[in-house]
Amino acid sequence: MVLLGVVIVADLFSLWQGNHSHQLIGRLIADADSVTAQEIDRADALYRIAAIAQVVFTVATAVVFIVWFHRTRVNAEVFAPEYREKKRGWAIWGWIVPIANLWFPRQIAADIWNASADERSRSKALLNWWWALWIVNLVFGRLATLRYEKVESPEEIKGAFAGLMASDLFNIAAAVLAIFFVRRLTRMQHEKALRGQAA
């Protein structure tokens, strides 16, 4: 959860810097003499730093998240062995294998949720919203990055920055819901383990 929070901070910094660059390009389009080369260089450098921070923190978070996800999958086998549509190895490989990573983790997460839930926590609305935002972010983020890589004119650059900022917003929303998902599922498993010990 801490690393997801750090990802959110990195996204907020990228969003802030993207907005600054977006405004800078707008000024450049309106009046080329109103923007200095130093301003452009500084904005580019800060945006590159933001992008590097996003990649580093996202990779670190992904590793820790997948380890946690695998652990919850192993726990789910103890709670309810019948919820095993996929073998436990897919709790790791499901995130890595192309195409399969668009739905395998969601299926495994649903199995884990079902095995960990009690009568009060059967609804998977949180899981579904988190996964939907995660997929939207993946697709939209990829499209925004491709658009940014192909820009040529200042107008195209300005539009690309708008797309990248929207991608940052989707990523922030997905990370916030991921925090709630991690907290909820961890608590569900902890409570179920305590009930098992009491029995």
Side-chain angles (χ1 to χ4, degrees):
M1 288 188 297
V2 171
L3 283 172
L4 284 165
V6 173
V7 167
I8 291 171
V9 171
D11 285 338
L12 287 170
F13 176 58
S14 176
L15 185 62
W16 174 80
Q17 189 53 43
N19 182 57
H20 174 70
S21 296
H22 185 265
Q23 292 178 353
L24 196 65
I25 295 298
R27 282 172 47 203
L28 184 67
I29 292 169
D31 180 10
D33 294 331
S34 68
V35 179
T36 66
Q38 290 81 4
E39 284 181 292
I40 294 172
D41 290 343
R42 186 167 55 248
D44 283 346
L46 286 173
Y47 201 69
R48 275 196 300 275
I49 290 170
I52 291 168
Q54 282 181 303
V55 170
V56 169
F57 293 129
T58 297
V59 169
T61 303
V63 170
V64 174
F65 183 90
I66 291 172
V67 168
W68 168 84
F69 192 72
H70 183 264
R71 185 67 234 166
T72 61
R73 172 63 179 78
V74 172
N75 292 344
E77 291 179 21
V78 176
F79 297 143
E82 66 272 20
Y83 291 114
R84 288 193 296 185
E85 186 175 330
K86 301 275 187 293
K87 293 190 180 293
R88 70 167 62 166
W90 281 108
I92 296 171
W93 291 109
W95 296 96
I96 300 167
V97 176
I99 308 301
N101 63 2
L102 297 176
W103 75 87
F104 273 32
R106 162 62 182 78
Q107 290 179 336
I108 295 165
D111 285 345
I112 297 168
W113 189 280
N114 288 332
S116 308
D118 58 21
E119 293 71 25
R120 296 173 296 125
S121 53
R122 290 286 175 198
S123 171
K124 292 190 279 292
L126 175 60
L127 165 61
N128 293 333
W129 278 107
W130 162 63
W131 190 253
L133 274 174
W134 166 253
I135 293 298
V136 168
N137 176 54
L138 276 180
V139 174
F140 193 88
R142 184 64 183 146
L143 292 174
T145 301
L146 287 173
R147 181 182 179 189
Y148 181 73
E149 290 172 352
K150 295 178 180 178
V151 296
E152 294 180 2
S153 69
E155 290 79 8
E156 290 176 340
I157 295 172
K158 187 178 180 185
F161 271 117
L164 290 171
M165 287 189 292
S167 175
D168 287 337
L169 287 172
F170 281 127
N171 201 46
I172 290 167
V176 168
L177 287 184
I179 289 172
F180 286 118
F181 172 71
V182 169
R183 283 191 59 175
R184 182 81 178 276
L185 189 53
T186 300
R187 187 176 72 242
M188 285 162 55
Q189 290 204 339
H190 179 69
E191 290 173 352
K192 194 150 191 174
L194 290 178
R195 284 195 300 273
Q197 288 174 2

